[in-house]
């Protein structure tokens, strides 16, 4: 098999999994698919801009403004049409033409979606009183949506969504389920109307986020890749790390992280970077399966990295109800630690195999300098943010709220960077597989494509930088402006560089136009699966809101786990992996977070552990990502194996072995939320980063069986103990010192009144469950008010009543902080009252960080034992 054939087979896998396997030979059919993709991308750019509102205001025609409100219906119509035209219905269906039945299915799907747009006013006049036509169109839309999901994503999501639909219709016949949920079943009219005619089912939050945000980020990534930004990332990574031991593998990790930050697909990311890095890894001595596994682990983890995170970041904004900037903050540290640990794993593999790096002209950069560059890079980003804020503040008197000066500054910077790039030679492809592979020089490679970083800079600036006079833009508008500038770069960078070099401009201008058009097409085709998946996931969310189905699943999981939080987390992790093997990341996150996030929070509260909601959502998201390289389904492993010519199952197993360190992180930040930078100061955040990084590197060394030298079993065990001491120092502190002072009854009131101002009071509430009537405890936290226990509770919307030795609480009012938990979960009008059974206040103890000292001393002992056995330098 030739390299070209291998590359084609990998590209075919991406096409079949992400963009559709049909390639019509009939010219007008092929052009229709292409034209629909372009139209979808243009439509999304149109509704993301402010043009509809401006046109509506200028013309007085509300239709231009209303199209934004109706956009999710049009969005799904595009997704269904492209899924039907681009994906054959079965493996035996024609791929070189579109059969008649697909035209019928596409027409029915489009009609069902646009029915909600055309007849929106009459539908609004009869909420809940659905007509026969409404029900027919809803049933048609649901059936076509399921067919579209089957075409583009396979059976798993269809089966899961169908099970929830069946529960909506027949769940009321089960006495057990009825006792848990108080749901008595639904009529055909009510259920279909709930799923299709309202915005609580198919057209709910998930599809709304896909419409307003996800598409723009996917389009941005597609344009960046087509314009050459993806290749620039790869070349910079090779130039930076290629000359180190096992350099191409390390470059694969770095380049996959950079491209994965803005890519919506693990498979596409694997092929984009793997086509270049996997052959290089094999040429320096990596076995085929390990070369593919490194690329798979790197590419799938790209979706853990802000700012896009495989589109889950924007869904977390809606589900957790926190600002986007907070999602990025919480996700940042685990992603950086995970990637640096993967770099270290690759380094250990290179040491075990005795591999070298690539030849490189000019001065080589040592590993210490690389580490300094990495760390200073993060510091530099922070400094840049402050400098940008300072620059914006200085320009405020001139610019005000105008963006024209900022546009002018960016335009000048773009021209200057292009002028500099035009004076540098283009990067030459390494076309000779028999010659020793070489790494390009860093400086010309970095500077030669630095203008590709400008749209990313614009994206980050709009999302994260804020001054007193300029608010952050929404993610949708931030992505819109970054995409607009990316379009400008795609259209102009080739002809402008040709002009600066004194070469013919017309050919390069046509090539730039081709990149732009191909970016529009690729962005839309990459969105087909995400579009229909978010619609189908909305069925599951809609069933939960209609029936309370999550309570049934939660009850099953709670019974199996016996109320043990660790067992519960393991079960949720396994469930996420199983679902993720058949679902795209976005759909998997929606499904598992909708079902399991409330259960984890509830069981944790019963066990006395208050788990922040963002930690729970990050937990299920991480395991959904890991499913992309989990055998036997992991498509990313198959794509990497197609390039490496290795065994896909072995590639997936090896990739999952590399990802064990990522599987450890979710369990850690459930019990140690410092990793998510929740309520930590900047100095403490820096300490958490370095200690967590050391711990994760030691975990990698223990699992690889190699540290300074090949480890003996007890040395690996010692490294795991050190790792645990660094990650969970509080565990050891709890063994020698009580964490809380506990009191009940009247003593509990005295304890609350004696607590320092603002200190957290942990209240254990016990009462009859609203659904089951069984007594169930839960734990909440409130800030203390010295000398006023009743006032502390009143401030949180809780009314305290003393009745003998009992501390009874009344039902909290809607809108108060604890209404969603205490107000909806307990029966306040039964025979047994809801009461506070104990109060806890954290004791003043020695810092848990003191346990870092014995851990580091033990690490020094392992180093001293292994150093005499080292047969080669550590780096």
């Amino acid at each position: 098999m030739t390299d070209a054939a291998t590359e084609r087979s990998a590209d075919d896998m991406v096409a079949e999994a992400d963009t559709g396997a049909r390639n019509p030979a009939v010219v007008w059919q092929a052009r229709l698919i292409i034209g629909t993709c372009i139209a979808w991308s243009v439509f999304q750019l149109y509704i993301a801009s402010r043009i509809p509102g401006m046109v509506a205001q200028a013309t007085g025609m509300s239709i231009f403004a209303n199209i934004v409100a109706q956009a999710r219906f049009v969005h799904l119509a595009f997704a269904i049409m492209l899924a039907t035209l681009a994906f054959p219905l079965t493996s035996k269906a024609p791929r070189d033409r579109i059969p008649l039945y697909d035209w019928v299915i596409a027409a029915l799907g489009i009609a069902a979606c646009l029915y909600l747009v055309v007849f929106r006013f009459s539908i609004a006049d009869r909420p809940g009183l659905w007509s026969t036509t409404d029900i027919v169109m809803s049933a048609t839309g649901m059936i076509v949506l399921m067919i579209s999901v089957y075409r583009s994503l396979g059976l798993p999501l269809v089966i899961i969504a169908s099970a929830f639909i069946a529960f909506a219709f027949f769940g009321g016949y089960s006495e057990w389920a009825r006792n848990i949920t108080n749901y008595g079943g639904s009529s055909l009219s009510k259920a279909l109307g709930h799923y299709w005619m309202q915005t609580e089912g198919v057209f709910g939050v998930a599809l709304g986020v896909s419409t307003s945000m996800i598409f723009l980020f996917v389009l941005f990534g597609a344009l960046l890749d087509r314009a050459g930004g993806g290749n620039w990332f790869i070349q910079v990574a090779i130039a930076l790390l290629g000359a180190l031991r096992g350099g191409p593998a390390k470059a694969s990790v770095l380049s996959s992280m950079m491209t994965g930050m803005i890519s919506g697909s693990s498979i596409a990311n694997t092929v984009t970077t793997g086509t270049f890095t996997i052959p290089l890894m094999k040429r320096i001595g990596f076995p085929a399966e390990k070369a593919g596994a490194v690329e798979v682990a790197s590419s799938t983890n790209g979706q853990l990295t802000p700012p896009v995170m495989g589109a889950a970041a924007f869904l977390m904004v809606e589900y957790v109800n926190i600002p986007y900037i907070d999602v990025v903050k919480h996700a940042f540290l685990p992603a950086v630690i995970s990637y640096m640990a993967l770099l270290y794993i690759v380094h250990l593999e290179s040491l075990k195999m005795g591999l070298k790096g690539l030849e490189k002209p000019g001065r080589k950069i040592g590993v210490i300098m690389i580490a300094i560059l990495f760390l200073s890079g993060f510091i530099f980003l922070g400094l840049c943010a402050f400098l940008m804020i300072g620059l914006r503040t200085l320009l405020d008197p001139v610019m005000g709220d105008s963006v024209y000066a900022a546009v002018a500054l960016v335009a000048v910077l773009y021209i200057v960077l292009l002028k500099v790039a035009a004076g540098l030679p283009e990067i030459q492809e390494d076309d000779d597989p028999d010659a020793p592979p070489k790494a390009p020089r860093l400086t010309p490679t970095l500077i030669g494509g630095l203008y590709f970083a400008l749209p990313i800079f614009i994206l980050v600036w709009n999302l994260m930088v804020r001054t007193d006079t300029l608010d952050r833009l929404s993610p949708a508008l931030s992505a819109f402006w970054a995409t607009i500038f990316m379009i400008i770069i795609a259209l102009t960078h080739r002809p402008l560089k040709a002009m600066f070099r004194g070469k013919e401009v017309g050919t390069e201008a046509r090539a730039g136009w081709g990149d732009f058009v191909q970016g529009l097409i690729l962005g839309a085709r990459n969105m087909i699966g995400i579009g229909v998946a978010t619609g189908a996931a909305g069925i599951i969310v809609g069933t939960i809101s209609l029936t309370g189905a999550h309570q049934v699943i939660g009850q099953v999981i709670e019974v199996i786990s016996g109320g043990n939080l660790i067992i519960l987390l393991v079960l949720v992790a396994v469930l996420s992996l199983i679902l993720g093997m058949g679902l795209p990341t976005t759909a998997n996150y929606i499904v598992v977070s909708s079902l399991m996030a409330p259960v984890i929070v509830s069981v944790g509260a019963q066990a006395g552990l208050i788990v922040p909601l963002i930690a729970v959502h990050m937990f299920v998201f991480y395991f959904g990502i890991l499913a992309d390289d989990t055998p036997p389904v992991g498509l990313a492993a198959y794509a990497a194996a197609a390039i490496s010519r290795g065994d896909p199952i072995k590639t997936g197993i090896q990739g999952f072995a590399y990802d064990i360190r990522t599987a450890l992180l979710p369990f850690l930040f459930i019990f140690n939320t410092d990793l998510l930078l929740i309520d930590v100061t900047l100095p403490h955040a820096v300490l958490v980063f370095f200690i967590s990084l050391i711990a994760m590197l030691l975990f990698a060394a223990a699992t690889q069986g190699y540290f300074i030298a090949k480890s003996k079993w007890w040395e690996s065990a010692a490294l795991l103990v050190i790792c645990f001491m660094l990650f969970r120092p509080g565990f050891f502190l709890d063994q020698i010192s009580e964490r809380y002072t506990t009191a009940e009854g009247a003593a509990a009131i005295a304890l609350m009144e004696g607590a320092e101002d603002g200190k957290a009071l942990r209240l254990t509430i016990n009462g009859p469950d609203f659904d089951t009537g069984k007594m169930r405890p839960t734990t909440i936290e409130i800030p203390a008010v010295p000398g006023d226990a009743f006032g502390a509770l009143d401030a949180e919307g809780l009314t305290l009543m003393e009745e003998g030795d009992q501390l009874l609480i009344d039902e909290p009012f809607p809108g108060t902080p604890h209404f969603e938990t205490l107000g909806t979960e307990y029966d306040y009008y039964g025979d047994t009252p809801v009461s506070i059974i104990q109060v806890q206040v954290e004791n003043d103890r020695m810092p848990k960080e003191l346990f870092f000292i014995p851990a580091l001393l033990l690490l020094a002992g392992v180093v001293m034992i292994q150093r005499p056995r080292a047969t080669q330098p550590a780096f």
Side-chain angles (χ1 to χ4, degrees):
M1 183 185 293
T2 64
D3 289 340
T6 301
E7 185 174 337
R8 280 197 301 274
S9 65
D11 289 338
D12 289 343
M13 181 168 293
V14 176
E16 292 179 14
D18 279 354
T19 62
R22 180 175 282 149
N23 186 19
V26 183
V27 174
W28 71 268
Q29 292 183 357
R31 288 180 177 174
L32 177 64
I33 294 176
I34 292 172
T36 304
C37 290
I38 295 173
W40 193 11
S41 294
V42 172
F43 170 76
Q44 294 291 156
L45 287 170
Y46 171 73
I47 63 170
S49 69
R50 294 173 177 169
I51 296 175
M54 294 167 59
V55 173
Q57 186 176 8
T59 62
M61 299 175 66
S62 61
I63 184 174
F64 293 101
N66 285 335
I67 194 63
V68 177
Q70 308 298 318
R72 64 183 68 183
F73 307 127
V74 181
H75 180 84
L76 186 61
F78 271 116
I80 288 176
M81 179 178 178
L82 285 173
T84 306
L85 300 184
F87 289 86
L89 183 58
T90 66
S91 59
K92 296 181 179 179
R95 299 192 176 198
D96 59 347
R97 61 183 175 85
I98 302 172
L100 177 61
Y101 61 80
D102 278 350
W103 291 110
V104 175
I105 292 173
L108 290 173
I110 294 169
C113 292
L114 298 188
Y115 175 80
L116 300 171
V117 178
V118 176
F119 297 99
R120 62 186 179 277
F121 297 116
S122 59
I123 291 172
D125 290 337
R126 54 176 188 273
L129 303 174
W130 312 121
S131 67
T132 302
T133 306
D134 294 339
I135 301 306
V136 170
M137 297 306 291
S138 298
T140 302
M142 294 282 287
I143 293 170
V144 174
L145 174 61
M146 289 298 193
I147 295 173
S148 300
V149 171
Y150 169 70
R151 289 172 180 271
S152 55
L153 302 172
L155 271 177
L157 184 55
V158 175
I159 294 172
I160 295 169
S162 299
F164 277 84
I165 293 173
F167 183 84
F169 287 119
F170 307 113
Y173 293 104
S174 168
E175 183 178 354
W176 173 68
R178 190 167 59 248
N179 289 338
I180 295 175
T181 63
N182 292 325
Y183 174 67
S186 176
S187 66
L188 181 69
S189 173
K190 179 181 178 181
L192 288 177
H194 184 82
Y195 286 133
W196 194 264
M197 303 300 295
Q198 304 177 141
T199 55
E200 295 184 39
V202 171
F203 300 101
V205 170
L207 190 67
V209 173
S210 176
T211 305
S212 62
M213 286 184 269
I214 296 175
F215 192 104
L216 290 171
F217 280 90
V218 171
L219 178 60
F220 174 77
L223 288 165
L224 180 63
D225 183 58
R226 290 299 307 182
N231 181 61
W232 177 64
F233 285 147
I234 296 171
Q235 296 297 337
V236 168
I238 292 288
L240 182 63
L241 302 176
L244 300 178
R245 188 188 296 271
K250 294 173 181 175
S252 172
V253 174
L254 181 59
S255 59
S256 295
M257 181 189 74
M258 291 189 292
T259 56
M261 284 191 297
I262 53 175
S263 170
S265 168
S266 298
I267 306 169
N269 194 17
T270 299
V271 173
T272 299
T273 56
T275 300
F276 185 80
T277 58
I278 290 176
L280 277 180
M281 283 188 267
K282 291 179 65 180
R283 284 167 66 182
I284 67 166
F286 266 85
E289 284 76 16
K290 287 192 175 183
V294 169
E295 183 58 52
V296 167
S298 307
S299 297
T300 54
N301 282 197
Q303 294 188 77
L304 304 175
T305 312
V308 180
M309 296 169 59
F314 315 115
L315 290 164
M316 286 183 191
V317 169
E318 301 294 331
Y319 290 156
V320 186
N321 195 28
I322 60 175
Y324 174 81
I325 186 68
D326 287 346
V327 174
V328 171
K329 180 185 74 173
H330 298 319
F332 177 75
L333 201 57
V336 172
I337 291 172
S338 178
Y339 264 106
M340 296 189 77
L342 183 55
L343 280 171
Y344 186 57
I345 288 174
V346 167
H347 179 72
L348 293 176
E349 288 281 26
S350 303
L351 281 173
K352 289 191 287 185
M353 290 185 283
L355 302 182
K356 303 297 182 183
L358 301 179
E359 294 184 10
K360 182 179 179 181
R363 187 177 59 180
K364 295 183 180 181
I365 303 177
V367 67
I368 301 300
M369 182 57 67
I370 295 289
I372 293 173
L373 285 174
F374 269 110
L375 296 177
S376 62
F378 297 124
I379 297 172
F380 178 71
L381 289 175
L383 291 175
C384 280
F386 285 108
L387 289 173
M388 288 187 290
I389 292 172
L391 177 63
R392 184 66 178 88
T393 304
L394 289 174
L395 293 175
D396 270 348
V398 178
M399 294 173 56
D401 291 330
S402 171
V403 299
Y404 296 113
V407 170
L409 286 173
V410 172
V412 170
L413 184 58
Y414 173 53
I415 297 298
V416 170
L417 290 175
L418 270 182
K419 176 70 173 176
V420 174
L424 298 171
E426 294 288 348
I427 300 171
Q428 299 298 318
E429 295 288 340
D430 183 12
D431 295 326
D432 186 359
D434 298 322
K438 294 183 179 181
R441 295 188 61 189
L442 177 60
T443 303
T445 304
L446 177 63
I447 296 177
L450 199 55
Y451 57 89
F452 285 120
L454 286 177
I456 300 175
F457 170 84
I458 291 172
L459 176 65
V460 174
W461 166 275
N462 288 331
L463 283 172
M464 301 182 184
V465 178
R466 181 183 182 278
T467 67
D468 292 335
T469 60
L470 187 69
D471 290 332
R472 301 183 190 107
L473 297 183
S474 67
L477 205 53
S478 300
F480 170 76
W481 288 116
T483 303
I484 291 297
F485 191 71
M486 192 64 244
I487 291 172
I488 294 172
I489 289 179
L491 290 171
T492 62
H493 80 105
R494 288 175 179 268
L496 285 176
K497 283 199 292 186
M499 182 184 70
F500 288 137
R501 290 168 176 167
K503 297 182 179 179
E504 202 271 324
V505 174
T507 302
E508 295 298 323
R510 288 189 291 274
W513 176 259
D515 289 339
F516 165 60
V517 173
Q518 288 299 317
L520 294 179
I521 296 169
L522 184 61
R525 296 194 73 146
N526 285 342
M527 273 299 301
I528 298 172
I530 297 175
V532 296
T534 50
I539 294 174
I540 297 164
V541 177
T543 302
I544 290 172
S545 65
L546 179 67
T547 68
H550 66 290
Q551 294 174 321
V552 175
I553 297 173
Q555 182 83 0
V556 172
I557 295 294
E558 283 189 55
V559 169
I560 296 174
S561 66
N564 185 293
L565 186 59
I566 293 293
I567 298 176
L568 174 70
L569 291 174
V570 172
L571 289 172
V572 172
V574 172
L575 179 62
S576 301
L577 286 173
I578 293 172
L579 287 174
M581 284 191 277
L583 301 182
T585 304
T586 308
N588 178 47
Y589 166 68
I590 295 169
V591 172
V592 182
S593 64
S594 301
L595 296 176
M596 302 312 306
V599 180
I600 297 176
V601 173
S602 175
V603 174
Q606 291 179 46
L609 179 68
I610 299 175
V611 185
L613 192 57
I614 183 64
V616 176
H617 281 257
M618 291 283 289
F619 181 92
V620 298
F621 174 62
Y622 261 59
F623 280 101
I625 290 290
L626 291 177
D628 279 351
D629 59 14
T630 305
V633 181
L635 292 179
Y638 280 86
I643 301 171
S644 69
R645 306 179 203 174
D647 182 271
I649 300 298
K650 291 181 180 178
T651 300
I653 293 172
Q654 185 66 62
F656 188 77
Y658 290 153
D659 269 342
I660 289 177
R661 95 270 174 220
T662 304
L664 175 68
L665 280 170
F667 287 95
L668 293 172
F669 55 59
I670 287 287
F671 294 99
N672 183 6
T673 56
D674 289 352
L675 284 169
L676 299 180
L677 300 181
I678 296 176
D679 298 329
V680 297
T681 61
L682 180 59
H684 187 61
V686 173
L687 176 65
V688 167
F689 170 72
F690 282 105
I691 293 297
S692 300
L693 178 60
I694 293 171
M696 186 55 71
L697 297 183
L698 294 177
F699 180 80
T703 55
Q704 289 297 307
Y706 195 102
F707 185 36
I708 296 174
K710 186 176 180 180
S711 298
K712 298 177 181 179
W713 71 266
W714 58 269
E715 291 172 337
S716 294
L719 291 177
L720 290 176
V721 171
I722 298 167
C723 173
F724 183 73
M725 292 178 70
L726 294 177
F727 270 128
R728 287 278 287 129
F731 173 82
F732 298 94
L733 181 57
D734 291 342
Q735 307 309 307
I736 63 174
S737 175
E738 287 291 335
R739 183 174 183 181
Y740 298 107
T741 296
T742 303
E744 302 174 1
I749 295 180
L751 181 61
M752 286 191 284
E753 292 179 341
E756 299 176 6
D757 188 20
K759 197 163 189 176
L761 302 174
R762 291 168 53 89
L763 311 180
T764 302
I765 312 294
N766 194 34
D769 186 275
F770 183 82
D771 296 306
T772 66
K774 296 180 180 178
M775 298 300 290
R776 182 173 63 81
T778 192
T779 303
I780 64 171
E781 280 189 352
I782 66 171
V785 176
D788 190 359
F790 290 87
L793 288 163
D794 284 340
E796 297 294 308
L798 302 174
T799 302
L800 178 64
M801 300 169 288
E802 285 190 89
E803 190 172 294
D805 287 336
Q806 287 187 305
L807 303 179
L808 309 183
I809 60 171
D810 203 355
E811 181 180 13
F813 290 106
T816 55
H818 300 283
F819 174 76
E820 292 298 326
T821 51
L822 301 181
T824 59
E825 294 184 2
Y826 287 108
D827 181 5
Y828 288 84
Y829 304 100
D831 296 332
T832 306
V834 181
S835 62
I836 300 174
I837 58 174
Q838 73 174 18
V839 175
Q840 293 179 317
V841 176
E842 188 166 8
N843 294 320
D844 292 326
R845 305 185 296 172
M846 64 181 181
K848 62 183 179 181
E849 288 77 13
L850 288 176
F851 285 90
F852 293 159
I853 297 174
L856 295 176
L857 290 175
L858 182 56
L859 174 60
V862 174
V863 171
M864 293 176 64
I865 292 171
Q866 285 204 354
R867 282 196 69 178
R869 303 204 312 266
T871 58
Q872 55 186 329
F875 295 100

